[in-house]
Amino acid sequence: MGLVGIVVVSHSRALADAAVALASEMLADRPVRVEIAAGLDDGSFGTDAAAIRDAIAAADDPAGVVVLMDLGSAVLSAELALELLDQQLAARVLLCPAPLVEGLVLAAVAAAGGASRADVAAEAVAALDGKVAQLAPSSPVAAPTGARAPSADQAELAQPDREVGLVDRADGQPEIGVFVVSNGHGLHARPAARLVRALAGLDAVVALRNLTRGGPSVPASSLSRVATLGAVQGHRVEVSASGPAALVAVGVVLELARRAFDEPTPASSPADASDVGGVLSSPRPAPASAWWALPASPGIAIGPARLVQTAPIVVPAGPAGDAPDERDLLADAVAQVRGTVRAERDRTARQTSADDAAIFETHLLLLDDPELLGDADHGIATGRSAARAYATAVQRTEDALADLDDPYLRARSVDVRAVGDQVLRQLVGAEEAVLPADGVLVAADLTPGQAVALDPARIEGIVLAGAGPTSHSAILARARGIPAVVGAGPGVLQLAEGTTVALDGSTGELHLDPPADVRETLNARRRAHRVSYARALAVARQPASTLDGVRVQVGVNGATPAEIAAGVTNGADSVGLVRTEFLFLDRDRAPDVDEQVAAYRALVDAAQGMRVTLRTLDVGGDKPLRYLPQPMESNPFLGVRGLRLALAEPGLLRDQLTAVVALAHESPVSVMFPMVSTLDELVRARTVLAEAIARVGSHSPTGLQVGVMVEVPALALNARAIVPYVDFLSIGTNDLAQYTLAAERGNEAVAALADPLDPAVLRLIQMVCQAAGARRLVAVCGELAADPVSAALLIGLGVRELSVSPAAVPLIKEAVRATSVGAVQPTVRAALDADGASAVRRLAASFAPPSS
Ligand code: PEP
Ligand code: MG
């Protein structure tokens, strides 16, 4: 059975419209059918039985219809309408004597929660109870409970030590939590409706009690009863729950209360946001125990600190053996490490993605670096031991890189040290630090080897003193779903082993030895996150539309069949980005057409009929190909990468497009080109594509769509010129932010600058959407798309596909459903005019969906 339908009968069309708009505010995305029969055809006041009959028929559902009416003759007209109806339908209709406005709000919320026709009507009838209770002391109308509420002082005295958060309880007792109402207007209709909605469907009986004001417990499932709590700002409210989902229910309520029941705060409400930019960017108040680090991997972790102790490598000072023996020792050590690095690379490619595995490619190249090995060999020839000669060579290379002005090359010194240490450990027999477990890891940074060995079952979270959000440690923590913060500063390394550490990897919040209330708050937030994720997953396979009916596709980014299959399971509508690099890295020659067709077919099979978007090879100076040696570039991110490399090596692009076209004759496939700066490059790529089409068959595959990645500001600025040449545009916000802010995404010293929420980046996204208009789909496949808080902004700007990692799909669908394209426009405008990324982030947070 569906949801009870509602009919509003009023003398005034304007009154009915406004009442329905008010009630809709409480419904979020619940599709309750509310029909209006109000006013007369000539625009005057009055009610019309025939119109009411039609409205009832339109609202009809097997669950029944509840009719709410305003003044006297409205009731007569409604009764007459029943007589005009088919008898079976009339039997499902209940004329409800509730007050129109208050009754409609409560009836709508009850209907959205799946209440029966009688319960919907009962809720509506009780609609004045809240007002009566609120005004009871000075009102001639008796409070519905009959009992006079104790004074605030009396009530608090009765609960002297009730803390905020979850309260310990004995087995078999209800779960109990306490929260303080922070909403300016108290727990009024909108936040109360949010609370009732959030609990609907949970297998728990939940009650609320106002501890400050006193009074009886009321069922949290009834909006009318919640209103009788009279909970105003600052009041403490107890939530108690029993049943299988009791703990979850209390967690949900505490989490909602923490977020002020998702009511926009006055400072961040869309209407006035543009006036208060300065206020918006002020730092968030934090409890005394809080530090702020950089968010690196979402999720909340609480546990004892486990410090990673790295034993120093001591190179013995003793005499060296014969040079040939020392050379053999070094060659053996390098071979051993090569095997380990390859195994780590393969494991990463299997378990996370080929992109992440590229870190190890760099290490393999350094391991066999002829300069480094030649220097070590020279040391051995002059009588040094293998360990001493190699240590000296590594130190020299590291120093030379560290002295360079170029930050990219300077950062490579870390990789030289990581590789060098592995070989030296092998030579002198020193163990690499074994990662401690069963707590929160605290370290300066992790080597790629340590990061790849992270076990989510045993490591609650990670705190790194150094590193950036796009460092290998952060990427691998994200891939394993371990909450992490980075860049916390050296102070964290002074922590005593076992100190409780709590962190929120989505916000960068970090607490060292937090007090009980902070722990409880974070615990409740963690439980609520889990519950929210489970709920989002439950409906993730349904298509997602905004509240005002705009369909938004949620795609999955992947490089392996396993990732794409995970996307299917999690409800993806499409595969928005396949990074085809996985097939080209780590080998001695490029894959031929047949091998590519087979590999892409495996991806298409995993997609189970969904459209698959293959991005042509995106490698270059930062991701080198062994079989395509390139001259050293001092700025590889501005050098020959992406489509530039493909056009410089036409054989590579020709083979890849031939494979794509062959597959497109079998399945719905899209192809897109990365790192395009000019129309000329795009036209040249399309020429190679046209040749591939002619080579494969007599006609273009009907389902083949051709797109371009917008990653270079010039392309966004020239989007109007590009649009006629493509079927779709996919914005790579990772690169677009890096190039717009001139801040390399992998360089931890400037990575925070490359913020995709910077208004400059948003303006470029807006330009692309405006240029594309309704004719071309605009997607976002960069990391920004996976941020539920930013989703509404992107949708408001005109983006209609968000492509994200498999785990993020359910949350982004939920974010889509919580967005209204129309309602976010003031916030979008304010964001475009904001003075920086943090101001934008605050604006975006005002419409954060439930799980974020
Ligand atoms: C991007 O730049 O946003 C993108 C999706 O491509 P990649 O991260 O592979 O460079
Ligand atoms: Mg990119």
Side-chain angles (χ1 to χ4, degrees):
M1 212 172 327
L3 302 179
V4 169
I6 298 174
V7 171
V8 176
V9 179
S10 169
H11 284 69
S12 157
R13 178 80 206 189
L15 171 64
D17 283 342
V20 171
L22 187 63
S24 306
E25 288 267 294
M26 317 290 164
L27 290 182
D29 57 350
R30 302 294 173 99
V32 178
R33 197 170 301 156
V34 183
E35 297 291 334
I36 294 176
L40 299 178
D41 284 348
D42 61 4
S44 61
F45 291 144
T47 54
D48 171 4
I52 299 171
R53 175 201 58 198
D54 295 346
I56 292 173
D60 184 35
D61 183 281
V65 177
V66 170
V67 180
L68 295 154
M69 300 140 287
D70 64 2
L71 315 170
S73 65
V75 180
L76 292 177
S77 301
E79 284 172 341
L80 184 56
L82 285 194
E83 287 171 23
L84 300 176
L85 277 171
D86 163 272
Q87 279 197 343
Q88 273 186 336
L89 171 50
R92 289 197 288 276
V93 180
L94 215 158
L95 301 186
C96 175
L100 185 71
V101 177
E102 291 92 338
L104 174 61
V105 170
L106 271 74
V109 173
S116 69
R117 186 181 46 160
D119 287 345
V120 169
E123 269 290 281
V125 168
L128 291 181
D129 286 2
K131 244 190 229 170
V132 173
Q134 179 91 15
L135 303 172
S138 58
S139 163
V141 184
T145 59
R148 190 181 167 83
S151 72
D153 288 353
Q154 284 167 334
E156 284 286 45
L157 280 175
Q159 308 288 337
D161 49 17
R162 196 40 71 81
E163 283 198 343
V164 172
L166 257 180
V167 175
D168 280 344
R169 52 131 204 181
D171 279 351
Q173 296 300 304
E175 294 288 350
I176 293 189
V178 177
F179 64 88
V180 175
V181 178
S182 62
N183 303 59
H185 298 293
L187 207 51
H188 67 98
R190 202 178 335 206
R194 180 81 184 85
L195 184 151
V196 172
R197 264 200 334 266
L199 293 174
L202 278 185
D203 194 1
V205 178
V206 188
L208 300 171
R209 193 155 61 102
N210 186 335
L211 296 178
T212 306
R213 187 173 192 263
S217 285
V218 301
S221 56
S222 160
L223 185 54
S224 61
R225 302 298 304 282
V226 174
T228 66
L229 288 171
V232 298
Q233 189 175 34
H235 276 189
R236 296 157 76 82
V237 176
E238 177 195 84
V239 47
S240 61
S242 48
L247 188 58
V248 168
V250 174
V252 164
V253 175
L254 295 187
E255 166 62 9
L256 271 177
R258 185 189 69 76
R259 297 199 316 245
F261 298 89
D262 295 333
E263 272 209 301
T265 57
S268 60
S269 71
D272 60 3
S274 54
D275 303 334
V276 288
V279 178
L280 296 177
S281 53
S282 64
R284 194 166 4 162
S289 66
W291 294 35
W292 291 100
L294 298 174
S297 175
I300 290 168
I302 304 175
R306 299 287 178 229
L307 279 102
V308 179
Q309 312 283 6
T310 311
I313 303 168
V314 183
V315 177
D322 291 343
D325 291 347
E326 295 296 329
R327 284 197 177 99
D328 284 351
L329 281 176
L330 179 57
D332 282 354
V334 168
Q336 286 280 352
V337 174
R338 194 184 294 115
T340 312
V341 176
R342 281 194 176 147
E344 284 166 351
R345 177 202 59 202
D346 294 346
R347 196 159 97 202
T348 308
R350 258 194 328 274
Q351 293 177 353
T352 62
S353 80
D355 222 33
D356 297 346
I359 295 159
F360 298 102
E361 285 299 329
T362 313
H363 284 203
L364 285 172
L365 289 174
L366 287 173
L367 206 49
D368 290 328
D369 185 83
E371 288 284 318
L372 180 62
L373 290 177
D375 196 8
D377 192 69
H378 180 71
I380 292 173
T382 58
R384 291 187 174 154
S385 70
R388 185 148 295 279
Y390 189 72
T392 308
V394 167
Q395 189 64 53
R396 249 199 296 267
T397 313
E398 197 188 353
D399 289 347
L401 287 169
D403 272 354
L404 293 175
D405 288 338
D406 181 300
Y408 173 79
L409 294 175
R410 222 171 32 236
R412 298 286 70 76
S413 68
V414 177
D415 295 314
V416 171
R417 170 54 56 201
V419 169
D421 279 359
Q422 285 189 75
V423 174
L424 284 173
R425 283 183 195 285
Q426 197 68 37
L427 280 169
V428 303
E431 297 283 319
E432 188 173 85
V434 178
L435 287 183
D438 302 323
V440 175
L441 281 191
V442 180
D445 194 357
L446 300 175
T447 66
Q450 288 172 325
V452 86
L454 293 169
D455 178 359
R458 303 205 55 200
I459 296 172
E460 296 249 2
I462 300 170
V463 177
L464 296 183
T470 53
S471 64
H472 58 252
S473 325
I475 290 171
L476 294 173
R478 266 201 298 277
R480 280 168 179 63
I482 303 176
V485 295
V486 299
V492 292
L493 301 174
Q494 308 305 321
L495 265 183
E497 177 80 10
T499 311
T500 301
V501 175
L503 63 98
D504 185 338
S506 320
T507 61
E509 195 175 335
L510 172 65
H511 300 268
L512 309 180
D513 196 15
D517 63 331
V518 172
R519 278 207 292 259
E520 275 312 332
T521 306
L522 284 167
N523 260 325
R525 217 192 289 173
R526 175 165 58 176
R527 282 193 290 266
H529 274 304
R530 282 195 195 135
V531 173
S532 307
Y533 190 81
R535 289 167 151 211
L537 191 58
V539 291
R541 285 181 168 233
Q542 292 159 23
S545 295
T546 62
L547 291 170
D548 42 1
V550 177
R551 178 75 202 280
V552 178
Q553 302 245 35
V554 179
V556 63
N557 295 347
T560 61
E563 284 171 338
I564 291 176
V568 172
T569 308
N570 287 353
D573 304 311
S574 60
V575 181
L577 166 65
V578 173
R579 293 180 164 104
T580 58
E581 294 82 87
F582 76 98
L583 201 54
F584 291 80
L585 293 167
D586 171 37
R587 48 192 301 154
D588 297 323
R589 68 163 65 100
D592 63 17
V593 174
D594 289 345
E595 184 180 349
Q596 290 193 53
V597 171
Y600 302 151
R601 189 177 286 129
L603 300 171
V604 165
D605 288 348
Q608 296 184 18
M610 293 191 302
R611 171 167 290 277
V612 175
T613 306
L614 298 164
R615 175 178 76 183
T616 59
L617 186 60
D618 185 13
V619 295
D622 64 314
K623 286 183 214 156
L625 293 179
R626 208 176 298 156
Y627 46 91
L628 213 69
Q630 279 183 264
M632 186 81 158
E633 297 178 307
S634 53
N635 286 307
F637 279 99
L638 298 180
V640 185
R641 64 168 291 215
L643 186 62
R644 299 171 185 186
L645 178 77
L647 291 173
E649 297 289 336
L652 268 186
L653 187 60
R654 184 197 57 218
D655 283 0
Q656 186 167 34
L657 291 176
T658 305
V660 169
V661 171
L663 200 75
H665 279 291
E666 301 171 8
S667 318
V669 164
S670 300
V671 63
M672 64 183 181
F673 303 106
M675 181 75 187
V676 180
S677 308
T678 65
L679 175 60
D680 176 59
E681 287 176 310
L682 177 62
V683 170
R684 286 168 61 201
R686 290 217 64 151
T687 308
V688 183
L689 177 63
E691 287 161 7
I693 290 171
R695 191 173 310 116
V696 174
S698 56
H699 63 280
S700 180
T702 43
L704 179 66
Q705 302 220 327
V706 183
V708 68
M709 285 197 73
V710 183
E711 304 182 282
V712 178
L715 199 76
L717 291 161
N718 289 332
R720 270 185 206 292
I722 300 292
V723 163
Y725 292 82
V726 291
D727 298 311
F728 67 96
L729 301 101
S730 185
I731 303 177
T733 44
N734 309 338
D735 277 319
L736 187 60
Q738 128 166 299
Y739 293 126
T740 305
L741 279 301
E744 189 199 316
R745 56 199 261 200
N747 178 347
E748 66 189 63
V750 296
L753 268 179
D755 192 327
L757 281 184
D758 191 284
V761 181
L762 298 183
R763 281 179 178 273
L764 292 171
I765 296 174
Q766 183 195 36
M767 292 184 91
V768 175
C769 293
Q770 283 175 346
R775 291 168 298 156
R776 305 280 189 280
L777 175 86
V778 177
V780 170
C781 62
E783 286 295 308
L784 185 64
D787 174 17
V789 174
S790 306
L793 266 186
L794 292 174
I795 294 167
L797 284 166
V799 172
R800 292 294 174 262
E801 181 181 280
L802 299 164
S803 195
V804 301
S805 63
V809 170
L811 299 178
I812 298 304
K813 283 211 160 172
E814 186 180 58
V816 171
R817 295 189 183 110
T819 300
S820 157
V821 176
V824 299
Q825 290 312 315
T827 311
V828 170
R829 282 197 291 278
L832 290 166
D833 285 341
D835 58 9
S838 50
V840 172
R841 194 159 274 111
R842 295 220 154 215
L843 285 164
S846 71
F847 38 64
S851 311
S852 61

